[in-house]
């Protein structure tokens, strides 16, 4: 199980993340939404598109723009649409489960 942790609280958890450029992207349903609020911050990645950000808050301690996602990624990054990655002190830990083998 993969977990994202900020200020001692698990803010997201999932069996599998998508890893791009060393960042673990958590599926949107894995977030514990009570810890997230929208941020006005935007940034542009030349190949992924425009990123939007969340401020993460736990225990009364906000971490501005500590999470980002791509609501409308470029075709090259479509597999991470709305998946959330973390930085700025948020710890990602755990072991990713392998995808189930396809049965033919």
């Amino acid at each position: 199980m993969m977990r994202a942790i900020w200020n001692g609280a698990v803010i997201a958890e999932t069996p599998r993340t998508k890893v791009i450029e060393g960042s673990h992207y958590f599926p949107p349903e894995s977030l514990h939404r009570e810890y997230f609020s929208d941020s006005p911050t935007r940034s542009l990645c030349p190949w992924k598109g425009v990123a939007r950000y969340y401020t993460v808050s736990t225990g009364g301690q906000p971490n501005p723009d500590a999470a980002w996602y791509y609501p409308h990624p470029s075709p090259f990054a479509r597999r991470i649409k709305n998946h959330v990655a973390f930085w700025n002190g948020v710890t990602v830990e755990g072991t990713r489960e392998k995808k189930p083998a396809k049965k033919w």
Side-chain angles (χ1 to χ4, degrees):
M1 182 69 76
M2 296 297 298
R3 291 179 182 84
I5 300 168
W6 166 246
N7 196 25
V10 175
I11 59 173
E13 55 189 331
T14 185
R16 286 188 295 279
T17 57
K18 297 180 187 223
V19 180
I20 295 182
E21 297 178 329
S23 294
H24 287 267
Y25 284 81
F26 285 70
E29 64 274 8
S30 71
L31 304 181
H32 297 286
R33 293 282 177 179
E34 66 270 22
Y35 300 121
F36 294 81
S37 59
D38 289 327
S39 167
T41 302
R42 307 286 187 270
S43 65
L44 176 63
C45 172
W47 76 273
K48 289 180 274 196
V50 176
R52 297 187 63 174
Y53 289 79
Y54 291 118
T55 292
V56 177
S57 299
T58 66
Q61 186 175 11
N63 189 346
D65 302 334
W68 75 92
Y69 67 102
Y70 294 90
H72 306 288
S74 75
F76 301 111
R78 66 182 170 266
R79 72 186 191 106
I80 60 166
K81 181 177 182 174
N82 292 323
H83 283 58
V84 179
F86 301 94
W87 72 321
N88 203 27
V90 175
T91 303
V92 174
E93 60 183 42
T95 304
R96 292 171 59 214
E97 292 180 11
K98 293 182 180 181
K99 277 187 171 181
K102 289 184 180 180
K103 296 181 182 180
W104 299 98

